[in-house]
Amino acid sequence: MRKPTLRFRLIRGFLFIIIPLALFLYYENYYAMKVVRKEVSSSTSQVLSIHIMQIDETLENITHYLLKQIVTPASESDYLAMETLPESNGDYTLAKLKIHAELTAGSSAFENLHSFFAYSAGKKDFIFSRSSYTDTTNVKLMLEQYLKEQGQDLDGRWQVLFYGQESYLVRILQANSDVCIGAAILLEDLISPLRGLDYGDQWEAILLDSSGQPLTRTAMPKETMSALNLKLLDNPQAFQVFENPADSKKYLLVRSPFQQAPISLAAMISEKSLLQQLPFFQRVIYLIPIGLLISFYLYSNSLRKMLFGPLSALTAGMRRVMKGELEIGVKDAQTEELSFLIHTFNHMVSQISHLKINVYEEMLKVQQSEFKRLQAQINPHFYLNSLNVINSLSTLGENELINKMTGHLADYFRFITRSHRDTVTIEEELQHIRNYLEIQSLRFPEKLTYRIELQEELRQVTILPLTIQPFVENSIIHGMEEGIPFHIDIAVDGKAANPGCFQVLIRDNGRGFEPETLARFNRHEFGDGTGSHMGIWNVIERMRMAFGGRAEVSFINAVPKGAIVRLIIPEGEALHETEDKSC
């Protein structure tokens, strides 16, 4: 069956516009008011939603700033000093000054923020980003009462707190066991920009809690506020019509919740001011069909010259190309867009007639590019922990251990910077792992031990960089148990079933695999390469690209406890081997 032409579709679409507009003339004025009310309501709701989204974004940015304060090493050490040092200690005072400076600098980025603060529960000591006594007294009293009631049960979400006639939006996060940090926003400051919107004289914007009670000041009578609350509870739509019992006038009631906080914005706008231009549109709407008929005549002639003619020529040219006729040329069009399309088509046909593409070569380039991308994904996860260990050793004056740590770390980085190579020897890979384990041994003294065995004739056998290390790292991260010595064995030998392959065994005495995880791993289900098992997924994906089906990975639980990972790797195979052989 032949498909409809573009000409037919355009004319049909144009008629579908004219006919409903003509029928629209016979509708009552009530329908017009309903449509305008709905559109204006939707528009108003969208405008208010944009303001709410901006406020939500500000709240989210404040949360990110607080989280950054907790995890940044410099800030973390200051909060630790605030927890552990006595108030008479000079370092305690210095830490407070640094925290105050950081919070003050951060508060300048948030326009509606009342204050950032930090609080030590043990010392009952507050630090505010605002230095004014008047600005912080009420907030301090309010927070002291709240923290006394909550104790250590801080849920870390935005909460609405009250002090006197004022309402505050507060979020508190635990920096450590004694110190918490947070932000306080005066809700009156939060809503003040919204009250500057121009929706006529008779309009009101207020913030409500989850039960519909007002959180900000309002000029509405108590009777109106009660009726509005009942209306929202009975019919919590985004926008609706509300009749004010105080003046018997109809208002548009719009409500939109915040995503970041347990509050919502309600706005009440006079319906009369919104619909005052409706009679003008009613008169204009009678002239629309006449104008549309004239426009349709001019529109169809213009389309025929500028669109249908060039498109017909272009379509005919495409049909000829489909038949293999490449020595063709389509006549230029009058419009810039179609002229560009026709020029591109003619140029494409000219290229096709002369261009030869080697598909295998292109596929190889793409696969090699993907291989390099996967190899580049592997990054050390313990940079920060290593620096923290060096910092701790420096504090303790352990210079010999610092020299040892930095030496292993330098060798580790040196290997990582050279991991862009296609292959490394097994000896180099195991030396890199030895550096990694020595660094981890300094992090977990008297807890982590290891043993590495390498068959002599396999020392110079080449493998993909970072093939074994991710499994060792995964063993330590997921296998080490609290307070229990952890030992890991790594053995490389030629005991694989096929003489052309060798095996790598990684065994530990940790907690082992969960049954569900073990089953999933042996089905080679490691996610999409972005989760907690990214390193394992990366190794398997690179080996698949390099060796096809010849490389194997298996996972088992050791007896009585622990985990075993077994790798079967071809010796010195080139990339993209066929999959008809197996190790």
Side-chain angles (χ1 to χ4, degrees):
M1 182 178 179
R2 189 175 180 181
K3 295 182 178 180
T5 63
L6 179 61
R7 185 197 306 267
F8 173 79
R9 288 181 179 275
L10 287 174
I11 293 176
R12 184 181 63 180
F14 202 85
L15 291 175
F16 280 168
I17 296 175
I18 291 178
I19 293 174
L21 287 175
L23 295 175
F24 180 76
L25 298 175
Y26 299 98
Y27 278 78
E28 297 290 340
N29 186 52
Y30 172 78
Y31 180 77
M33 292 178 61
K34 183 178 178 181
V35 171
V36 173
R37 181 190 296 119
K38 182 178 180 180
E39 294 300 321
V40 173
S41 301
S42 177
S43 175
T44 305
S45 178
Q46 290 176 5
V47 170
L48 296 179
S49 295
I50 290 173
H51 285 274
I52 290 176
M53 288 172 61
Q54 292 173 344
I55 295 173
D56 273 331
E57 184 178 0
T58 299
L59 296 179
E60 186 175 8
N61 289 337
I62 290 174
T63 301
H64 290 167
Y65 177 82
L66 293 175
L67 292 173
K68 182 180 178 182
Q69 285 294 303
I70 294 175
V71 301
T72 302
S75 300
E76 184 180 5
S77 64
D78 291 335
Y79 292 124
L80 182 62
M82 192 174 176
E83 176 190 11
T84 57
L85 297 178
E87 294 181 80
S88 58
N89 191 299
D91 289 339
Y92 178 83
T93 303
L94 180 61
K96 284 185 61 178
L97 291 174
K98 290 168 67 178
I99 292 172
H100 178 267
E102 181 67 26
L103 295 181
T104 301
S107 63
S108 62
F110 304 104
E111 182 179 356
N112 295 321
L113 176 70
H114 186 75
S115 179
F116 282 122
F117 61 88
Y119 175 69
S120 171
K123 301 178 180 64
K124 301 189 181 304
D125 192 5
F126 269 103
I127 301 173
F128 288 94
S129 60
R130 287 196 175 208
S131 57
S132 170
Y133 177 80
T134 305
D135 290 339
T136 59
T137 299
N138 292 346
V139 178
K140 180 179 179 182
L141 295 174
M142 175 186 69
L143 291 173
E144 283 180 341
Q145 180 64 28
Y146 175 73
L147 292 170
K148 181 179 179 181
E149 294 174 355
Q150 295 295 317
Q152 295 294 325
D153 299 330
L154 299 175
D155 60 9
R157 294 178 294 183
W158 286 103
Q159 303 285 341
V160 177
L161 302 182
F162 302 92
Y163 188 84
Q165 299 297 320
E166 300 292 352
S167 302
Y168 293 85
L169 198 59
V170 177
R171 186 160 197 169
I172 304 175
L173 301 176
Q174 200 75 42
N176 55 45
S177 60
D178 178 69
V179 179
C180 60
I181 63 173
I185 301 173
L186 185 62
L187 289 181
E188 285 293 336
D189 294 340
L190 201 63
I191 199 175
S192 58
L194 301 177
R195 289 173 172 163
L197 298 176
D198 184 14
Y199 285 108
D201 297 330
Q202 298 178 323
W203 95 283
E204 184 81 20
I206 56 174
L207 291 175
L208 306 174
D209 63 14
S210 56
S211 63
Q213 297 301 317
L215 298 173
T216 53
R217 299 186 185 96
T218 175
M220 288 188 293
K222 191 173 182 179
E223 179 185 7
T224 301
M225 195 64 223
S226 299
L228 183 146
N229 191 16
L230 290 174
K231 182 73 172 178
L232 291 175
L233 290 175
D234 292 341
N235 191 16
Q237 298 180 9
F239 49 85
Q240 54 190 301
V241 177
F242 167 67
E243 185 173 345
N244 188 357
D247 55 14
S248 299
K249 293 181 180 179
K250 289 186 177 181
Y251 290 82
L252 173 65
L253 181 59
V254 180
R255 182 182 185 182
S256 186
F258 287 75
Q259 298 298 318
Q260 296 291 325
I263 59 176
S264 59
L265 170 67
M268 195 170 74
I269 309 170
S270 173
E271 187 181 65
K272 182 179 179 181
S273 63
L274 292 176
L275 302 179
Q276 60 185 355
Q277 298 297 327
L278 184 59
F280 168 77
F281 290 106
Q282 284 180 310
R283 289 191 296 270
V284 170
I285 206 167
Y286 285 97
L287 300 176
I288 291 178
I290 298 175
L292 288 177
L293 289 174
I294 297 173
S295 300
F296 177 75
Y297 175 77
L298 298 175
Y299 173 73
S300 59
N301 278 281
S302 177
L303 282 179
R304 182 174 57 83
K305 294 179 180 179
M306 293 188 298
L307 181 63
F308 296 139
L311 282 180
S312 297
L314 186 60
T315 303
M318 291 180 177
R319 289 195 177 101
R320 292 177 62 186
V321 170
M322 291 175 63
K323 295 177 181 178
E325 301 177 21
L326 299 179
E327 301 299 326
I328 64 170
V330 180
K331 185 179 178 180
D332 201 1
Q334 298 179 7
T335 60
E336 180 180 354
E337 293 81 0
L338 284 176
S339 177
F340 173 76
L341 185 62
I342 291 173
H343 276 295
T344 303
F345 174 75
N346 289 335
H347 180 66
M348 180 189 68
V349 172
S350 176
Q351 283 187 324
I352 293 175
S353 63
H354 299 93
L355 186 64
K356 294 181 179 180
I357 302 173
N358 190 329
V359 177
Y360 174 79
E361 209 168 86
E362 289 300 318
M363 289 177 61
L364 184 60
K365 288 180 180 179
V366 170
Q367 196 168 23
Q368 288 176 341
S369 175
E370 176 69 8
F371 182 84
K372 292 294 184 183
R373 183 188 70 81
L374 289 171
Q375 184 170 303
Q377 277 186 359
I378 302 180
N379 291 307
H381 299 289
F382 64 106
Y383 292 159
L384 182 59
N385 290 332
S386 299
L387 294 177
N388 286 335
V389 171
I390 293 174
N391 181 58
S392 299
L393 293 174
S394 175
T395 303
L396 297 173
E398 298 286 352
N399 294 329
E400 183 177 351
L401 291 179
I402 291 174
N403 290 335
K404 183 178 180 181
M405 180 73 167
T406 54
H408 289 301
L409 201 57
D411 292 339
Y412 184 92
F413 287 143
R414 188 175 297 112
F415 184 89
I416 290 297
T417 57
R418 294 184 304 177
S419 65
H420 63 278
R421 295 181 298 171
D422 290 336
T423 59
V424 296
T425 64
I426 296 179
E427 188 173 23
E428 290 176 317
E429 174 84 1
L430 292 180
Q431 181 57 43
H432 171 66
I433 294 172
R434 191 174 284 107
N435 288 325
Y436 171 81
L437 290 172
E438 284 295 331
I439 293 170
Q440 295 290 30
S441 296
L442 291 173
R443 286 186 59 207
F444 306 105
E446 300 181 1
K447 181 176 180 181
L448 174 63
T449 58
Y450 67 92
R451 182 178 61 186
I452 298 178
E453 296 180 359
L454 172 60
Q455 195 169 315
E456 184 64 30
E457 55 268 25
L458 295 176
R459 288 184 178 275
Q460 299 304 314
V461 173
T462 57
I463 60 173
L464 301 177
L466 300 174
T467 296
I468 305 173
Q469 192 266 349
F471 294 98
V472 176
E473 182 176 351
N474 191 72
S475 178
I476 292 177
I477 293 174
H478 299 287
M480 187 176 291
E481 298 178 285
E482 186 73 24
I484 299 177
F486 184 80
H487 180 78
I488 183 169
D489 283 320
I490 304 167
V492 182
D493 56 50
K495 296 180 180 179
N498 192 307
C501 300
F502 64 92
Q503 74 170 0
V504 180
L505 285 177
I506 304 163
R507 177 170 185 160
D508 63 62
N509 65 342
R511 57 170 59 93
F513 298 106
E514 295 291 338
E516 182 181 349
T517 303
L518 182 62
R520 192 171 69 250
F521 278 10
N522 283 320
R523 293 195 302 268
H524 287 190
E525 296 176 4
F526 305 101
D528 58 359
T530 59
S532 59
H533 302 295
M534 181 186 71
I536 298 177
W537 176 88
N538 200 306
V539 171
I540 292 175
E541 186 68 12
R542 288 190 295 130
M543 289 200 302
R544 180 192 64 78
M545 294 176 62
F547 308 119
R550 300 196 63 195
E552 299 177 10
V553 182
S554 60
F555 305 84
I556 58 175
N557 277 327
V559 178
K561 61 181 298 188
I564 300 176
V565 179
R566 182 171 182 259
L567 305 177
I568 302 297
I569 304 174
E571 293 184 23
E573 288 285 343
L575 298 179
H576 317 301
E577 280 286 335
T578 57
E579 301 185 14
D580 56 347
K581 296 182 287 184
S582 176
C583 293

